[in-house]
Amino acid sequence: MSQPDRIENEAELERNGPPANPRAVCNACKRLYRDPRILPCLHTFCSECIGQLEPFSMGGPPRGERPVVTVLCPTCDSEVDIPPSGPGALSTDHLALDEVFLETLVADGPLGCDLCGEGGAESRCEVCCVNLCGFCCQAHRRQKRTASHSVRCLKELKSAGRLSRPVLCSLHPGQELRLFCQPCDRPVCLECAATLHRDHHCSPTRDVVHRHGDRIRELVSGHLRPHLGHLKASLQKVRALAPQHRRTRLTRLLVQVEKSQDALQARVDATANEVRGFARGYASAVEAHCLSLLHRLEELHVQRRNQLHLQRAQLQQELVDVQGGVDFAERLLTCGSDAEILSAKAVTLKRLGSLAEGSRSGRPAAVAPDDGSGISFAASEPAGQVGGFPVVGAIVSKTVEVSKCTIEGEDLHTSREGERAHFLVVCRDSAGERMTRGGEHVMVSIVHKGKKDCKAESAVVDNGDGTYGVSYTPQEAGAYSVWVCVRAQHVQGSPLALTVSRKWRHHSGTFHCCCFCSSGGSKEARCGCPGTMPGGFQGCGHGHKGHPGKLHWSCCGCTVKNSDCLPQSVLDAVSARGHLRTVEL
């Protein structure tokens, strides 16, 4: 009910007192009906009162539709479904509207003319079902189309206590529902029958009302009234026999019902106490969990704040070091003499070199600070139990913890000259779990330990899932130092040692048992092993002098299949008789 209507209704109740007809009053708001609607349990309430009922349950709707809301009837506590479109889709109780109109007539309520809207209504057309003032009543009688209508005085209707109201179409205001669409099983007006129901069989309401009315009468008279009589008779018998303590079936049942009610009440009270105890314990557990979450949040705050302080101190110190080195070098070059420059050359170059080397080795001049955007609260995440009660909610810290970051891969400590190698940098949070997003500043520097100007160029690829692929190709063999930094800080295990082996010397011969077998008995076939064979054969043979006794390469005589080919210096050291001279490798 809107606010103006409510004020008007309250003013009317103050003037005229409570209505004398209870069938014109809504049991929810205790006022005259406003747009009365019939619930499936056949109880009537105002449309707005139905809309204000608390939902009892929500049904799962089909895709694209609103859910079906189930409410409890305020009168009978039955579960009734409200259509998805709202209370306006329920059937209108026209009988209640008639009662409201009659109550207004009996209470001398103000009625305006339905035609002109200015004068007070004095009569009512029973055909058009409109209230008419004196002037409009005379005009209504003069018109040819309405001259034959029955017009009655409102005072007569008050004394008779009845009136005739039309049932109007909700889609076409002013059109009375005079037809009944049998396929749709609903009354329609002439315009609905001509448009929305033009392909349906529509009959006048007077021709079908008897059939549908008979069905209602049959249910009432044939089933419900006899059942109602039996219930009343049984209740009367129980009331008559109970004082005399006659243990009939109904009295015993009544006693059992009363005992069951007492037991039920006791059980409800015990359960209520259990619920209250559980609620108190659970509230304490939730409060303890809340304090734990706040403590964890404060720990993260202190940790991130210390990290920011450390980062600021490192940047400030680096700034001071670089600025001091630059100022000293510029002052030396500007103000110093030739002898002064040459005398301070060694220490100046060493200091400037170390500063430049530090900037190239993974210490950027500026790194994006941690603003705490990775800290959040996951309300639905299970958090274990507190005091025996399961709780949910956790502080999620999805910011990189550099000390937890790891380096993974097969090419971490060994690689080969001229071959591309790979490893993976995995960024992790404070809990040690892998980050699920990228965007971190990862720097990798691979420097030769023995040669300052020798370094392996590396490429870092952000995979977008918290991992960063690093690839590099060393051009010289030797020992290297690998620096891996995230946010200008070394990750776990950095710097690490890398050994680069020389290039593979691929074998040019055949891995065979002997020259005689692999060449098909050719005398010109030669072998890198020191074996010889009589009869003019240049290569080795099974069981002959110098044969290794196992499979070997024909190019160098090495007996390991996956190995480097022996260099020419080793081959030249093998004498014709199969003796190996001392060779420094």
Side-chain angles (χ1 to χ4, degrees), residues 201-222:
H201 177 63
C202 298
S203 304
T205 54
R206 62 177 178 272
D207 296 340
V208 298
V209 67
H210 299 290
R211 183 171 69 252
H212 294 281
D214 292 342
R215 293 176 57 189
I216 297 176
R217 294 187 190 95
E218 180 183 356
L219 289 173
V220 172
S221 60

Side-chain angles (χ1 to χ4, degrees), residues 573-584:
V574 180
S575 64
R577 293 178 298 173
H579 297 289
L580 186 65
R581 302 191 188 95
T582 301
V583 179
E584 182 180 359

Side-chain angles (χ1 to χ4, degrees), residues 425-439:
V425 179
V426 182
C427 290
R428 304 182 183 275
D429 58 11
S430 58
E433 297 182 359
R434 195 187 75 181
M435 298 291 293
T436 57
R437 56 176 175 82

Side-chain angles (χ1 to χ4, degrees), residues 32 40 53 63 154 209 220 244 270 323 333 397 461 500 562 571:
L32 293 178
L53 295 177
R63 182 174 297 178
L154 289 179
V209 67
V220 172
Q244 302 175 9
Q323 186 65 45
L333 296 176
S397 174
V461 178
V500 178
N562 296 324
L571 298 179

Side-chain angles (χ1 to χ4, degrees), residues 60-130:
R63 182 174 297 178
E65 297 182 7
R66 290 189 293 179
V68 177
V69 180
T70 301
V71 299
L72 294 179
C73 174
T75 300
C76 63
D77 285 337
S78 298
E79 296 182 13
V80 293
D81 294 335
I82 304 300
S85 56
L90 296 171
S91 300
T92 303
D93 192 345
H94 296 281
L95 296 178
L97 291 176
D98 294 342
E99 299 294 343
V100 171
F101 183 73
L102 286 175
E103 179 65 24
T104 306
L105 291 178
V106 173
D108 292 329
L111 290 177
C113 179
D114 292 336
L115 295 184
C116 65
E118 297 177 358
E122 299 177 356
S123 56
R124 180 177 177 83
C125 177
E126 293 188 336
V127 178
C128 299
C129 299
V130 292

Side-chain angles (χ1 to χ4, degrees), residues 26 35 49 91-93 95 121 151 183 198 213 358 365 483 555 581 584:
C26 174
D35 189 17
C49 295
S91 300
T92 303
D93 192 345
L95 296 178
V151 179
R198 62 176 180 272
W483 293 41
C555 53
R581 302 191 188 95
E584 182 180 359

